[in-house]
């Protein structure tokens, strides 16, 4: 028996999203709930994938199944497709994951030269020919790739002739058909079945249009999902002044407030409102103009939100006083609103704390930390203009007027209105500003989904693309000048406003506290200064997972003794320089231990190649020569001896400790002396001394023994100090000998930056020259330095963890590479049963949330 590829709405439900697409599954679910839905059927994602992978044609079997469902829809509606009581349908895409505006829609399908005349008599001429002309325009653009601008030009020219409305749309339809024939050398198709099949093919093909591909890449959506196609009976919001169309959210998607939020247009079709062609009215206005419809809509909105247990984005049409719900989906919202909604819904007993945590995208947390414009700046600056607060946040950047010209984030994309073709520029720009469009326009919706600041529909903004000048009120600004936009108030300012890091919303900390209690992995911070430590603790870091001691040497007063030490030619010279450095290290550790108290502090001993510290200007070389009291010739000779062909695989890390043990000995002395100092303050620091870049067991053993012998000799009360000595695993060989190494080491921490470099044989610093091409050609889905390479690097980590834990189930293992703040990496670390992840201070909330989500999933 042939597998079913087409489903009536009444045959599906919300759990069939992968097969019917999100839109189709929700239409089916609303049909089951008894809501007023224009009926129709869904062609499955499986049919789409079969089409895309098999000759790009519709099979005869699929065509027959579509025809059978058209017949069923005729029975349901009492109308005939192409007949005397014409059944008109919309044809819409519907992917399993919402991709708003990325694929295509065709309205009013089923109109031809005969059915338009029937509707002209049945309703009126201007209505019938206006929807016919719109169908021709959409069909020509989407199915036949005739640019919509050509139709707009025809309409504008015709408007100049001052023709009465009835004849205007008749003439417009005639001109549109002439353009179609002139362009393609064929008449506009008159057979509704032929129209339908061509549109279905166009919708299937739109899965692979450029903007859809960009959107999937930006949002990590599977390329192989495919789109369903929804065929639905048309209802008309443009029938008369007792009709309309709108989009509404059951809660405010910008602020999270529990109030209905949306817009509508009287006597309009749905595409008018999302395109920003006309200025819509706030939905609250409907309370006065259509009170019974407004009350009915509120009831359905609350019913849908309670059913889906999520804020809903609802499209609706009113046809001659009757309300129809066209679509519902979980609404896109700003990160700010997302957190407020999630916490509110827990308190309303609508969802659990676990549900709330799973709803927050960890990447959105970063956006909340971007801050706000300083009050001082706001007091000084008068807004140039004001638009609608389309997407919460703030943005500062140079004015850029064309999407393709946005090349870096230091930009504000300024458009009359955005379209899906602007997606690439919107994804790069710091913010979006539009002259037209409302809160549910393309620009605002996409900006919210990206977490970008957006100010939409500024009525005083005009753009001249010939002179590259914009005007906001009386102020003219050139492309390239800076503006600042506020996505909370809608205000627009000239120049760069100062940004303050604001306190996060109360709900932000509630989510973090819930996540903290649910997660299993500890989350530590990468911190090299007392300021880093304070910031990390503010976000609930549970200790330091990586303190890079080399960062303590880069300050002006420290870099010179460090350079002296590197260029020293004798042990005595080196020790003299190290004695100058030791007090700096000791004082830094004292401050860090005071802040962390008993929380663990993992301190990595000197790791990078020494050349990173050396001077590279003639002035600095002269200064070093004088400090060391050696000639320039001698200095250059010594520097030449330090040169390496591949320093990242050369004399660095623990190899320095083998050749120059005094470096690590000084650092460990500074650590222990700092610990002894804070003991006097009743602080008992929890210290982990980490030896980097270990490759062999004997290498680690040699260095550890040197350190311990020195500490025991110098500090008789060393036993009072809580310290351990472990290693950073950064090399494939170390992963393979981890079991043996664990017999000597007290802990491991994976340094995934170097482990990725040495596994792939790719320099992280040079990978940018080719990694984008690797992603473009799907050789790699993303850079292995962003998220752990599970197949290679992850497998090495698994070998190390499993072999070590087999011998010692309680052996402490963490991760401190850059990927430690990446949600996918955190999930992998959770599944590997690591003890902790460590990341930079601003990524700690992301890591806490991701760690909780990993535990909930498991």
């Amino acid at each position: 028996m042939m597998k079913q590829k087409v489903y009536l709405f009444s045959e599906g439900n919300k759990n069939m999203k992968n097969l019917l697409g999100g839109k189709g599954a929700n239409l089916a679910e609303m049909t089951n709930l008894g809501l007023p839905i224009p009926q129709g059927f869904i062609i499955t994602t499986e049919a789409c994938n079969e089409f895309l992978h098999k000759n790009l044609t519709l099979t005869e079997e699929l065509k027959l199944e579509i025809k059978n469902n058209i017949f069923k829809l005729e029975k349901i509606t009492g109308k005939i497709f192409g007949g005397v009581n014409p059944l008109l349908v919309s044809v819409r895409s519907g992917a399993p994951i919402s991709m708003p505006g990325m694929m295509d829609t065709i309205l009013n399908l089923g109109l031809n030269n005969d059915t338009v005349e029937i509707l002209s008599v049945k309703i009126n001429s201007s209505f019938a020919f206006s929807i016919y002309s719109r169908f021709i325009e959409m069909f020509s653009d989407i199915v036949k790739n005739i640019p919509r601008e050509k139709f707009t030009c025809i309409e504008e020219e015709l408007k100049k002739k001052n023709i009465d409305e009835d004849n205007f749309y008749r003439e417009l339809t005639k001109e549109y058909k002439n353009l179609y024939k002139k362009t393609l050398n064929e008449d506009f198709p008159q057979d509704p079945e032929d129209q339908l099949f061509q549109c279905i093919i166009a919708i299937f093909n739109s899965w692979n249009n450029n903007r859809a591909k960009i959107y999937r890449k930006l949002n990590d959506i599977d390329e192989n999902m495919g789109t369903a196609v929804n065929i639905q009976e048309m209802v008309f919001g443009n029938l008369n002044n007792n009709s309309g169309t709108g989009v509404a959210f059951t809660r405010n998607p910008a602020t999270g407030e529990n109030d209905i939020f949306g817009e509508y247009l009287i006597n309009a079709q749905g595409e008018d409102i999302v395109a920003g062609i006309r200025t819509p009215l706030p939905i609250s206005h409907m309370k006065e103009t259509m009170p019974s419809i407004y009350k009915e809509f509120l009831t359905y909105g609350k019913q849908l939100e309670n059913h889906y247990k999520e804020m809903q984005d609802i499209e609706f049409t009113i046809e001659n006083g009757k309300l129809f719900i066209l679509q519902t989906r979980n609404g896109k919202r700003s990160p700010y609103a997302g957190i407020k909604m999630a916490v509110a819904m827990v308190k309303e007993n609508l969802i659990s704390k676990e549900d709330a945590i799973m709803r927050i995208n960890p990447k959105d947390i970063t956006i909340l930390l971007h801050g706000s414009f300083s009050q001082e700046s706001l007091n000084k600056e008068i807004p140039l203009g004001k638009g609608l607060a389309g997407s919460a946040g703030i943005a500062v950047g140079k004015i850029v007027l064309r999407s393709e010209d946005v090349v870096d984030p230091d930009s504000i994309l300024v458009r009359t209105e955005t379209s899906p073709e602007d997606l690439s520029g919107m994804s790069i720009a710091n913010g979006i500003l539009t002259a037209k469009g409302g809160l549910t326009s393309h620009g605002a919706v996409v900006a919210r989904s990206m977490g970008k600041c957006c100010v939409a529909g500024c009525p005083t903004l005009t753009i001249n693309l010939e002179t590259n000048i914009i005007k906001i009120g009386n102020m003219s600004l050139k492309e390239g000048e800076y503006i600042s936009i506020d996505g909370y108030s809608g205000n627009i300012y000239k120049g760069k406003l100062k940004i303050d890091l604001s306190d996060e919303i109360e709900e932000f900390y509630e989510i973090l506290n819930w996540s903290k209690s649910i997660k299993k992995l500890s989350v530590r911070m990468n911190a090299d200064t007392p300021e880093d430590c304070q910031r990390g603790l503010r976000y609930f870091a549970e200790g330091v997972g990586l303190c890079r001691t080399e960062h303590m040497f880069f300050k002006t007063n420290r870099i010179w003794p460090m350079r002296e030490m590197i260029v020293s030619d004798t042990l005595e010279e080196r020790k003299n320089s190290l004695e100058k450095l030791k007090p700096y290290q000791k004082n830094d550790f004292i401050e860090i231990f005071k802040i962390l108290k008993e929380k663990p502090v993992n301190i990595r001993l000197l790791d990078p190649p020494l050349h990173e510290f050396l001077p590279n200007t003639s002035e600095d070389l002269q200064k070093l020569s004088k400090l060391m009291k050696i000639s320039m010739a001698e200095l250059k000779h010594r520097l030449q001896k330090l040169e390496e062909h591949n320093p990242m695989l050369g004399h660095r890390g623990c190899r320095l400790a083998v050749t120059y043990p005094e470096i690590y000995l000084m650092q460990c002395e500074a650590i222990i002396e700092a610990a002894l100092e804070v003991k006097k303050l009743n602080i008992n620091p929890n210290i982990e001394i980490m030896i980097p870049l270990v490759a062999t067991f004997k290498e680690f053993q040699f260095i550890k023994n040197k350190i311990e012998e020195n500490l025991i000799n110098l500090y008789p009360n060393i036993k009072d100090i809580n310290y351990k000595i472990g290693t950073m695993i950064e090399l494939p060989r170390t992963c393979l000998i981890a079991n043996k190494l664990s017999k000597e080491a007290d802990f491991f921490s994976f340094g995934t930056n170097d482990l990725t470099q040495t596994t792939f044989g790719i320099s992280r610093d040079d990978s940018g020259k080719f990694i984008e091409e690797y992603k473009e050609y799907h050789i790699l889905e993303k850079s292995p330095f962003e998220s752990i390479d599970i197949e290679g690097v992850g497998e090495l980590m698994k070998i190390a963890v499993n072999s070590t834990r087999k011998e010692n189930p309680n052996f402490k293992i963490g991760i401190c590479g850059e990927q430690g703040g990446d949600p996918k990496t955190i999930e992998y670390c959770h599944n590997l049963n690591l003890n902790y992840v460590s990341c930079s201070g601003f990524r700690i909330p992301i890591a806490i949330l991701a760690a909780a989500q990993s535990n909930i999933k498991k």
Side-chain angles (χ1 to χ4, degrees):
M1 183 178 175
M2 189 181 75
K3 190 168 184 181
Q4 186 174 355
K5 297 275 176 57
V6 183
Y7 289 75
L8 287 172
F9 291 171
S10 58
E11 295 176 314
N13 60 62
K14 67 178 181 181
N15 299 319
M16 298 170 72
K17 188 166 71 169
N18 287 338
L19 184 66
L20 304 182
K23 192 176 297 180
N26 286 334
L27 285 165
E29 188 73 9
M30 289 191 290
T31 297
N32 297 335
L33 290 172
L35 268 65
I37 310 298
Q39 284 302 297
F41 57 88
I42 308 146
I43 304 168
T44 65
T45 56
E46 287 181 352
C48 173
N49 281 316
E50 184 178 280
F51 168 87
L52 292 173
H53 296 112
K54 289 186 180 177
N55 304 322
L56 299 177
T57 57
L58 302 180
T59 64
E60 291 304 315
E61 291 85 357
L62 180 61
K63 285 182 178 179
L64 180 61
E65 201 173 349
I66 292 167
K67 288 178 184 179
N68 288 339
N69 279 273
I70 284 286
F71 178 73
K72 292 175 185 176
L73 187 57
E74 288 175 332
K75 292 285 187 186
I76 293 168
T77 61
K79 299 175 182 178
I80 303 299
F81 197 47
V84 290
N85 184 16
L87 169 64
L88 305 184
V89 296
S90 62
V91 185
R92 300 174 187 264
S93 62
I97 294 176
S98 178
M99 296 169 57
M102 295 306 111
M103 292 177 292
D104 294 321
T105 293
I106 295 106
L107 304 178
N108 311 323
L109 189 145
L111 280 168
N112 57 27
N113 296 344
D114 295 328
T115 54
V116 72
E117 294 294 352
I118 294 168
L119 284 181
S120 185
V121 172
K122 188 175 180 182
I123 302 173
N124 63 62
S125 178
S126 62
F127 167 77
F129 280 92
S130 70
I131 64 173
Y132 190 21
S133 62
R134 174 168 287 197
F135 171 51
I136 294 167
E137 179 184 357
M138 297 179 89
F139 184 94
S140 302
D141 174 32
I142 291 164
V143 179
K144 297 297 186 180
N145 298 313
I146 303 173
R148 196 166 285 194
E149 290 79 6
K150 291 189 175 185
F151 294 92
T152 304
C153 289
I154 290 173
E155 185 177 11
E156 292 302 318
E157 286 300 314
L158 199 60
K159 282 178 181 177
K160 295 175 184 177
K161 296 183 178 181
N162 294 319
I163 305 171
D164 67 85
E165 189 176 27
D166 281 359
N167 287 316
F168 175 83
Y169 284 111
R170 276 186 180 271
E171 188 63 27
L172 187 66
T173 301
K174 179 182 173 184
E175 291 295 328
Y176 280 5
K177 286 192 290 186
N178 287 341
L179 173 62
Y180 185 95
K181 185 169 185 177
K182 183 179 176 182
T183 305
L184 301 175
N185 199 29
E186 62 184 54
D187 289 325
F188 187 78
Q190 295 297 299
D191 179 2
E193 279 188 2
D194 179 36
Q195 294 174 355
L196 181 59
F197 293 146
Q198 288 195 59
C199 287
I200 290 166
I201 288 170
I203 299 297
F204 281 163
N205 281 325
S206 74
W207 175 254
N208 284 328
N209 70 36
N210 192 50
R211 62 180 184 263
K213 285 183 175 181
I214 293 171
Y215 188 90
R216 289 198 293 274
K217 187 176 180 181
L218 288 171
N219 293 279
D220 291 326
I221 296 173
D222 186 356
E223 288 282 336
N224 299 311
M225 282 185 172
T227 182
V229 179
N230 301 282
I231 316 296
Q232 188 175 21
E233 178 195 3
M234 285 294 305
V235 288
F236 296 99
N238 59 338
L239 190 63
N240 51 39
N241 285 331
N242 200 26
S243 304
T245 187
V247 178
F249 299 83
T250 53
R251 302 186 188 221
N252 190 309
T255 67
E257 296 302 316
N258 190 5
D259 286 316
I260 202 81
F261 175 92
E263 298 165 324
Y264 77 109
L265 284 168
I266 294 295
N267 202 354
Q269 282 197 301
E271 292 299 298
D272 296 336
I273 196 163
V274 296
I277 295 166
R278 288 170 54 188
T279 302
L281 297 166
I283 196 166
S284 56
H285 189 268
M286 193 190 289
K287 196 188 303 184
E288 310 299 327
T289 58
M290 298 179 170
S292 61
I293 295 289
Y294 181 75
K295 186 176 179 182
E296 187 183 359
F297 182 79
L298 289 183
T299 301
Y300 293 140
K302 187 55 67 179
Q303 181 183 356
L304 287 169
E305 183 174 280
N306 289 338
H307 182 73
Y308 285 98
K309 301 186 185 300
E310 179 58 291
M311 183 264 278
Q312 293 299 291
D313 171 359
I314 304 168
E315 291 181 21
F316 63 92
T317 285
I318 304 155
E319 184 181 79
N320 200 27
K322 183 177 180 182
L323 175 65
F324 293 91
I325 305 297
L326 302 186
Q327 177 181 330
T328 192
R329 61 188 172 199
N330 293 342
K332 302 285 184 186
R333 74 290 311 267
S334 70
Y336 174 88
I339 285 184
K340 288 189 77 82
M341 278 183 210
V343 172
M345 287 181 176
V346 171
K347 293 179 178 178
E348 293 165 20
N349 295 317
L350 197 60
I351 61 174
S352 67
K353 289 178 181 177
E354 288 80 3
D355 291 330
I357 288 166
M358 292 305 293
R359 285 186 182 177
I360 309 299
N361 184 338
K363 292 178 183 176
D364 288 348
I365 298 292
T366 308
I367 296 155
L368 287 176
L369 306 179
H370 283 176
S372 60
F373 292 134
S374 73
Q375 195 56 51
E376 181 186 1
S377 290
L378 294 174
N379 291 341
K380 286 180 182 176
E381 298 294 334
I382 297 171
L384 297 175
K386 186 179 178 72
L388 301 170
S391 181
I394 56 170
V396 176
K398 292 175 288 192
I399 296 166
V400 180
L401 302 181
R402 299 164 183 83
S403 181
E404 62 270 22
D405 293 338
V406 181
V407 294
D408 64 66
D410 188 28
S411 308
I412 304 290
L413 180 62
V414 182
R415 303 284 285 157
T416 301
E417 67 245 355
T418 65
S419 75
E421 300 304 326
D422 292 313
L423 184 66
S424 60
M426 293 173 74
S427 70
I428 299 169
N430 203 16
I432 295 103
L433 170 63
T434 67
K436 294 183 179 178
L439 295 169
T440 53
S441 64
H442 174 270
V445 171
V446 173
R448 284 197 292 270
S449 72
M450 290 179 170
K452 300 265 183 184
C453 170
C454 174
V455 173
C458 173
T460 60
L461 169 63
T462 58
I463 301 167
N464 188 325
L465 290 174
E466 291 183 4
T467 61
N468 293 332
I469 290 174
I470 70 168
K471 281 188 77 173
I472 304 175
N474 296 321
M475 177 64 70
S476 294
L477 298 165
K478 294 178 183 176
E479 186 170 31
E481 288 191 60
Y482 276 92
I483 56 170
S484 303
I485 61 174
D486 188 332
Y488 298 109
S489 66
N491 286 335
I492 305 152
Y493 301 89
K494 182 181 179 182
K496 298 181 182 182
L497 264 62
K498 184 182 175 185
I499 296 172
D500 281 346
L501 290 175
S502 60
D503 289 334
E504 293 76 26
I505 56 172
E506 180 184 337
E507 290 86 349
F508 170 82
Y509 283 101
E510 287 195 75
I511 287 284
L512 282 188
N513 268 314
W514 295 345
S515 300
K516 227 178 106 185
S517 65
I518 288 169
K519 71 179 178 61
K520 182 180 175 186
L521 271 172
S522 290
V523 176
R524 300 193 195 180
M525 59 181 139
N526 296 346
D528 312 320
T529 66
E531 294 76 22
D532 289 342
C533 295
Q534 286 167 338
R535 184 185 302 116
L537 290 181
R538 181 183 175 196
Y539 297 133
F540 306 130
E542 295 166 87
V544 172
L546 178 64
C547 178
R548 293 156 288 208
T549 53
E550 63 271 8
H551 285 193
M552 299 173 171
F553 297 133
F554 280 107
K555 292 180 182 176
T556 305
N557 57 341
R558 308 176 184 196
I559 192 67
W560 292 104
M562 185 65 179
R563 287 169 172 171
E564 288 179 45
M565 188 274 293
I566 294 168
V567 179
S568 294
D569 215 20
T570 66
L571 177 60
E572 184 181 355
E573 283 182 349
R574 204 156 31 250
K575 283 188 173 180
N576 286 337
S577 301
L578 290 168
E579 280 303 311
K580 295 178 189 177
L581 289 168
K582 184 176 174 181
Y584 296 126
Q585 290 248 287
K586 177 181 172 180
N587 290 333
D588 283 347
F589 291 135
I590 286 171
E591 294 306 310
I592 288 171
F593 293 157
K594 280 181 183 177
I595 294 167
L596 270 296
K597 296 185 168 48
E598 280 72 40
K599 288 183 170 66
V601 181
N602 182 303
I603 301 167
R604 184 180 72 186
L605 302 178
L606 191 64
D607 179 47
L610 296 177
H611 79 278
E612 291 189 8
F613 299 94
L614 294 176
N616 50 27
T617 67
S618 57
E619 291 81 6
D620 283 351
L621 287 170
Q622 291 283 355
K623 183 175 179 178
L624 185 57
S625 170
K626 288 177 183 177
L627 282 172
M628 298 192 69
K629 298 176 182 176
I630 60 175
S631 67
M632 280 293 290
E634 174 62 20
L635 177 59
K636 288 179 179 178
H637 173 68
R638 293 186 185 188
L639 291 174
Q640 193 174 25
K641 287 197 295 183
L642 291 169
E643 287 180 3
E644 296 182 275
H645 290 293
N646 192 346
M648 291 308 290
L649 294 178
H651 194 196
R652 58 168 287 213
C654 65
R655 296 157 198 172
L656 292 168
V658 173
T659 54
Y660 306 132
E662 55 275 12
I663 297 175
Y664 278 15
L665 296 184
M666 178 279 286
Q667 291 191 292
C668 292
E669 288 168 21
I671 292 166
I672 297 304
E673 287 176 19
L676 290 168
E677 196 70 33
V678 298
K679 286 277 282 184
K680 298 172 187 175
L681 303 173
N682 293 319
I683 295 171
N684 187 26
N686 181 356
I687 301 165
E688 298 168 354
I689 298 171
M690 186 160 67
I691 300 170
L693 215 71
V694 166
T696 75
F697 174 80
K698 287 186 177 180
E699 189 178 38
F700 178 79
Q701 190 179 52
F702 172 83
I703 297 166
K704 182 185 176 186
N705 289 343
K706 283 269 187 187
I707 291 170
E708 290 196 319
E709 286 168 12
N710 186 58
L711 295 179
I712 290 167
N713 287 335
L714 288 175
Y715 311 107
N717 52 350
I718 187 73
K719 290 181 181 177
D720 296 337
I721 302 300
N722 178 16
Y723 79 98
K724 298 177 179 66
I725 300 178
T727 187
M728 200 171 187
I729 297 184
E730 303 166 89
L731 303 171
R733 189 181 194 281
T734 320
C735 295
L736 301 176
I737 64 161
N739 179 39
K740 183 178 181 182
L741 200 54
S742 68
K743 292 178 171 60
E744 189 73 24
D746 296 322
F747 65 87
F748 292 153
S749 179
F750 288 106
T752 53
N753 299 340
D754 270 316
L755 186 56
T756 300
Q757 288 193 111
T758 52
T759 301
F760 272 89
I762 294 175
S763 162
R764 179 176 55 156
D765 298 325
D766 297 318
S767 64
K769 295 174 183 176
F770 55 83
I771 211 77
E772 287 306 313
E773 283 78 10
Y774 270 61
K775 287 155 69 175
E776 182 183 342
Y777 300 132
H778 301 291
I779 298 169
L780 292 172
E781 290 307 310
K782 59 171 55 182
S783 168
F785 298 104
E786 294 173 24
S787 188
I788 207 77
D789 160 49
I790 293 172
E791 189 177 34
V793 176
E795 193 63 28
L796 286 167
M797 290 171 66
K798 187 190 290 186
I799 290 168
V801 172
N802 290 346
S803 66
T804 299
R805 292 270 172 77
K806 191 175 181 182
E807 298 291 331
N808 183 352
N810 298 317
F811 193 87
K812 185 187 288 185
I813 307 175
I815 175 176
C816 60
E818 200 63 34
Q819 295 100 322
D822 167 65
K824 288 185 178 177
T825 300
I826 290 167
E827 184 173 359
Y828 184 71
C829 291
H830 173 89
N831 294 334
L832 264 187
N833 202 27
L834 297 193
N835 298 92
Y836 68 87
V837 296
S838 187
C839 58
S840 63
F842 281 113
R843 299 185 83 182
I844 288 164
I846 299 173
I848 289 173
L849 182 67
Q853 289 176 340
S854 299
N855 205 27
I856 291 167
K857 284 180 190 175
K858 194 167 184 179

